[in-house]
Amino acid sequence: MTLAERYNLEAARLLPHMAADLQVDPAITRATEIDEIVFRRGEFLGGMACAILAMIEQKN
């Protein structure tokens, strides 16, 4: 499972009402790329993406 797939699942679990805004291409394998893509959609969303990625990293 790629990092983006784990990220998408976690975003949908934690923030189902915002999942569509936070979703990224499941083929992405780098956290920085996920952060950049979502941050371009808005600073608030970028902050959410960063927090979700940090939670995924803690689980590893």
Side-chain angles (χ1 to χ4, degrees):
M1 182 178 276
T2 67
L3 177 58
E5 288 172 324
R6 288 184 283 163
Y7 164 82
N8 287 339
L9 287 172
E10 195 69 9
R13 184 182 74 78
L14 293 170
L15 301 160
H17 61 289
M18 298 178 72
D21 294 328
L22 294 166
Q23 295 292 305
V24 296
D25 180 348
I28 297 171
T29 58
R30 296 181 314 138
T32 55
E33 192 173 351
I34 293 170
D35 186 47
E36 288 172 9
I37 290 167
V38 179
F39 189 79
R40 279 187 234 132
R41 296 176 190 162
E43 282 186 52
F44 177 74
L45 293 173
M48 294 283 93
C50 187
I52 292 167
L53 289 165
M55 291 174 64
I56 291 169
E57 183 63 31
Q58 278 189 336
K59 287 183 179 180
N60 291 338

